[in-house]
Amino acid sequence: MEHSGFSAESSGFSAPRTLWRTRAQLPLPEDFVPLRLILQPSGAAVELTQPDVLLGRHSQADVRLPLPDVSRRHCRFLFGQGVWQVIDLNSLNGVFLNGEPVRQATLRQGDLLRIGGFIFAVDLNGTDTDSAESEASAGLIRRLFKRAPDAGPHRRAS
């Protein structure tokens, strides 16, 4: 990588040398409840254990769904004031909650959430899961690249 003659240090600014940063772990609110997204129909689960989670196709997304109809930064999940919210980040194919397109919505137990070709059931029970089961679910989700049969036509996201 080439650098121009200008440097932050030479102009009196100190700049960190890291090019890629991982997001810091946020402190959990006292009323925090993990969100489980259960892939339909397989039953594999993704557990969101932080109050701010980015989902997308990009390699630096917190939860990566590597299908072409999932945008690089597709949506964000936020926990606050005792509820989980999903926010569409201007994705090409959108976010659907119970079959309806949403820009931002509060998630409730049993809701069906469609992101690209993935359909998830929302589980807010916050039950403890066996770590081996969670690891198996994560591995299964990484291997799943099939579009849900009833997901309808999608355009390839950039």
Side-chain angles (χ1 to χ4, degrees):
M1 178 163 72
E2 293 185 36
H3 296 282
S4 66
F6 176 82
S7 77
E9 289 82 9
S10 67
S11 17
F13 295 104
S14 64
R17 292 277 183 203
T18 53
L19 298 175
W20 300 100
R21 294 186 187 146
T22 57
R23 294 172 24 156
Q25 297 279 330
L26 298 174
L28 296 178
E30 284 187 29
D31 61 347
F32 181 78
V33 176
L35 170 63
R36 291 185 76 213
L37 299 175
I38 304 169
L39 186 63
Q40 303 298 303
S42 76
V46 176
E47 189 165 272
L48 307 185
T49 58
Q50 288 295 307
D52 183 359
V53 177
L54 175 67
L55 182 144
R57 193 181 73 239
H58 195 278
S59 62
Q60 290 187 349
D62 298 316
V63 175
R64 185 167 184 254
L65 299 179
L67 281 181
D69 56 357
V70 174
S71 295
R72 285 176 271 193
R73 289 169 183 82
H74 201 96
C75 63
R76 172 163 259 132
F77 293 91
L78 294 173
F79 182 85
Q81 300 176 356
V83 298
W84 277 99
Q85 298 267 324
V86 61
I87 301 165
D88 185 356
L89 300 175
N90 296 320
S91 62
L92 183 63
N93 290 309
V95 173
F96 291 79
L97 187 63
N98 299 320
E100 298 294 321
V102 295
R103 302 289 292 153
Q104 180 172 351
T106 299
L107 299 175
R108 291 175 175 52
Q109 179 68 25
D111 281 346
L112 289 179
L113 184 66
R114 180 164 54 103
I115 300 166
F118 293 94
I119 298 175
F120 296 98
V122 172
D123 180 9
L124 297 169
N125 286 333
T127 57
D128 241 355
T129 58
D130 180 61
S131 62
E133 177 186 316
S134 296
E135 288 177 28
S137 294
L140 177 61
I141 288 173
R142 282 193 293 272
R143 291 190 307 272
L144 291 176
F145 294 102
K146 289 180 8 181
R147 170 176 285 152
D150 61 346
H154 292 284
R155 298 176 290 179
R156 182 182 175 112
S158 63

